[in-house]
Amino acid sequence: MSLLVLSSPLKGWIAPLEETPDAVFAGRMLGDGLAIDPTGSVLHAPCDAVVLTVHRARHAVTLRAANGAEILMHLGLDTVALAGAGFEVLVGEGQSVRAGEPLIAFDLDFLAQNVRSLITPIVVTNLDAFRIVRRQQDRAAEVGDELMALSPIAAETAESAAGASTVAEAGGEIVRRVVVPLVHGLHARPAARIVETVRAFTAEVALVAGERRASARSPVGVMALAVRHGDSLSITASGPDAEAALAAVAELIEGGMGEGGPVAAHVPTPSPAPSSVEAGPVTLPRDGVLKGVLAAPGLAIGKAVRLSSSEITVRELGDNPGHEHTALTQALETVRARLEAAAARSDKARQAILNAHLAFLDDPELSAVARALIDQGKSAGFAWRGAVGGYVDALRGLGDARLAERVDDLIDLERQVLRALIGEEESAAALPAGAILLADELLPSQLMGVDPGLVAGFCTARGGPTSHVAILAAAMGIPALVAVGGAVLTVADGTALILDADSGQLRVAPDAPALEAAQTRLAQRQERKARAKASAHQSCVTLDGQRIAVFGNVGALGDAVAAAANGAEGCGLLRTEFLFLERDTPPDEDEQARQYQAIASALDGKPLIIRTLDVGGDKAAPYLPIPAEENPALGLRGVRVSLWRPHLLKTQIRAILRARPVGQCRIMVPMIASLDELRAVRAVLDEAKRELGVTERVELGVMIETPAAAVTADLLAAEADFLSIGTNDLTQYVLAMDRGNPELAARIDALHPAVLRMIAQTCAGAAKHQRWVGVCGGAASDLAAVPILLGLGVTELSATAAILPEVKALVRALDLAACRTLAARALELTSSEAVRDAAQSFLAGV
């Protein structure tokens, strides 16, 4: 068997491709290979080859080896935006080069200062014809050292077929279509099983999904197809035992491999459109009540209005590359102008989302992929859809719920650009007053395009509670549920609905008594909100005289102003990520100090608890190239990132210490799992105080978000000044359920008895050292949870600004002894539903 050995084209450190801080390369969308973090400044040929293409921005080159292998080398990330600056191309397209011959020289220092990362992916782009049989990684390399070895798949098949008693007829390829029943699609384990099955045959077998094709002998190739549950897939085979191989692979996939139910091969179904529901009930329950996940609080009564998006058809082939490039450029400029104009007249929530869309629109890699497809003869629309689709597949394939929620933004942007290409504008749906919108998923532009005065609420089959439409709904004051399941799509237009987002329920076609009761509740709620708002600035003391601090959760200066206006007695959680995300470099000490001082001043001397940087997992910072992780929620995030990059922590703590008056700002550390982590942060704090000459006491607390922190709360409280519980993460870790998974989201509830027992243990541990315990997670904004939390021993609640007046009004109406009795009962119940029922009954008597 003839192997092609590729030598290292750069001097540097060889890393696995998945450590590339870029979804396209880490997700192997463009091919498989390795990445090199360079220390040299010249890119060399890794083998004898012909220069296939040199990117017009000079940062990337593709070679074709004599055996047909195509190797893409991409110098750095986001380097396309430099438009060639810092690069010198030493070869031309069509030129033959020898292994080790210089291809591109580059200014290493210039790139280091101007791009997101220097890491250079080296990928084989035609993995349907080759597989990587040997690779070197996690080591330093000189130019010319072995990098990886490729084997032609056809050669492997020919060798294994030698001596076979039968010979396949030329061109005798057979095809069979299957529908993939695996709940999680063809991920790593199913891909490995497919490869194992094919090894028993001499036939050449491939899987085809849309425009993508992969050899069934390559597990990486199979995974790169990004095949999901319900997708339609073609299996092709050719060779002496093609029929048997085809039948074996089809039977394996259709059997579900233990991850799904069989799908009969004789009932072919089309691939679901991107907006289809992949799982869940398809009929209404008998009681007409659908359950979902709270996206925005509130109660609404209205009529069902079904929303759907029409498919935009694009042709594959373009007229000519020049015309298509011009068309794409004009469409992008049209959409950019619309987004910028909309952002200029929008509130903060809309601006943040529109700015995110603008960032996607200006993503140089996204544009580069689209333009490369145009150069291959595709139309502008087909190329744009292909480029966006690659990112969509990569984000969905990362296994990160928050990143997956950004898929809606990309799909939204895809539609806007495609409509600009055909000269159409998305027309807003004509809505009746009191409309409750029902959809598979709502796109941000759809929600921003409706008249909020006509929309009473919305409910989607899919989606997540931290998606942009959820954020918009909260900002617009529109009650909303997500992840309700496919049954919501069976509700007919005009059907009467009661949307109780607080209880996570949508009641379909309620009877007259239910409607009357809901109308009464709605009137009472509006009256109660008005009373709470009027008394928002009164002191917060329970009926039996217990002082409870009610603070606000803050994400920026505007939030602090809103919280103060709604009666916040301080800030229990300042999410400092607003300073660190969506930028190419971290904020320096001066910028941070100015922002912290502005927020401290807005609170007029009231306590300000600042959480140190909480990135990683679902929040990525471009200048922190955290390697791709199989379980991001369990990887580098929170305090782990701060201790991994202590200079960032030191800078942030110094900035906090500069806020005046000293002591108003307290420091809180996220994702603590051990006392050693707290001690490490304490050491940095002490050093920063010495450097700045700060002698006053500055409180240092911890967030209780991991089960480890909860069960060792007594140990942490011995050295922490306070403990604050982040119920969102604590709940998902205690229940081992991803809070962004729509199939699980309805079952993830901080009032689960297991979570409440962790909170009780935290309060008991803190009490041993007379430390106060707060809650800054979502449970503090849940009125049903408030009396239970106080009964467990919590003495500080930090809630969203909008709900603060109601939280304070409720606390003033509570008797702590009764709360303790309720909490003790809740700990003995067996489900979150039972706890909520008990809490609602309790509140009804308050």
Side-chain angles (χ1 to χ4, degrees), residues 114-184:
N114 290 280
V115 300
R116 175 159 58 103
S117 173
L118 291 170
I119 199 160
T120 297
I122 314 293
V123 299
V124 181
T125 60
N126 53 343
L127 284 172
D128 56 335
F130 297 88
R131 72 184 183 95
I132 300 173
V133 296
R134 187 170 68 239
R135 68 183 86 201
Q136 306 294 326
Q137 62 187 41
D138 294 323
R139 69 176 184 84
E142 298 288 334
V143 173
D145 288 353
E146 180 176 327
L147 184 68
M148 54 185 158
L150 311 180
S151 170
I153 292 172
E156 291 182 353
T157 304
E159 284 191 9
S160 64
S165 58
T166 58
V167 179
E169 294 182 8
E173 185 177 84
I174 56 177
V175 181
R176 178 168 166 180
R177 291 186 70 79
V178 298
V179 176
V180 177
L182 286 79
V183 174
H184 302 295

Side-chain angles (χ1 to χ4, degrees), residues 298-299 301 498-503 505 507 514-528 840:
L299 175 69
I301 302 169
I498 299 173
L499 174 60
D500 188 348
D502 297 327
S503 299
Q505 294 185 347
R507 184 176 293 275
L515 277 173
E516 184 177 350
Q519 289 167 342
T520 301
R521 286 173 53 210
L522 193 57
Q524 291 173 339
R525 175 171 297 196
Q526 292 168 345
E527 182 182 355
R528 186 172 64 247
Q840 293 295 348

Side-chain angles (χ1 to χ4, degrees), residues 340-354:
E340 288 174 345
R345 60 176 184 268
S346 295
D347 56 27
K348 179 184 173 183
R350 287 180 175 82
Q351 280 182 349
I353 293 167
L354 291 167

Side-chain angles (χ1 to χ4, degrees), residues 23 53 125 173 208 245 255 341 392 440 579 617 674 721-722 724 736 754 782:
T53 61
T125 60
E173 185 177 84
V208 181
V392 166
D440 177 20
L579 278 167
S674 72
D721 294 309
F722 61 89
S724 187
D782 183 348

Side-chain angles (χ1 to χ4, degrees), residues 424-581:
E424 291 184 4
E425 291 192 29
E426 188 89 48
S427 56
L431 302 177
I436 294 181
L437 308 180
L438 306 181
D440 177 20
E441 286 187 292
L442 275 179
L443 299 178
S445 64
Q446 289 178 306
L447 188 56
M448 284 189 279
V450 302
D451 181 350
L454 299 176
V455 178
F458 76 78
C459 186
T460 62
R462 297 197 295 173
T466 60
S467 65
H468 276 159
V469 287
I471 295 169
L472 273 174
M476 297 167 72
I478 296 175
L481 287 180
V482 295
V484 175
V488 74
L489 303 180
T490 67
V491 178
D493 278 336
T495 303
L497 301 172
I498 299 173
L499 174 60
D500 188 348
D502 297 327
S503 299
Q505 294 185 347
L506 178 73
R507 184 176 293 275
V508 180
D511 56 20
L515 277 173
E516 184 177 350
Q519 289 167 342
T520 301
R521 286 173 53 210
L522 193 57
Q524 291 173 339
R525 175 171 297 196
Q526 292 168 345
E527 182 182 355
R528 186 172 64 247
K529 282 187 174 181
R531 289 200 308 267
K533 180 70 174 177
S535 61
H537 294 277
Q538 293 180 12
S539 178
C540 197
V541 179
T542 63
L543 289 176
D544 51 342
Q546 176 66 46
R547 180 76 172 91
I548 302 294
V550 178
F551 290 176
N553 289 340
V554 171
L557 176 59
D559 297 337
V561 173
N566 278 355
E569 300 171 343
C571 168
L573 167 63
L574 172 60
R575 303 180 182 93
T576 58
E577 293 73 55
F578 79 99
L579 278 167
F580 288 83
L581 300 180

Side-chain angles (χ1 to χ4, degrees), residues 717-753:
E719 299 187 25
D721 294 309
F722 61 89
L723 285 69
S724 187
I725 301 170
T727 51
N728 300 357
D729 273 322
L730 180 63
T731 301
Q732 78 165 344
Y733 291 137
V734 169
L735 300 182
M737 292 182 182
D738 183 351
R739 58 191 171 104
N741 186 324
E743 297 302 319
L744 300 174
R747 299 165 56 191
I748 300 174
D749 191 336
L751 290 189
H752 190 288

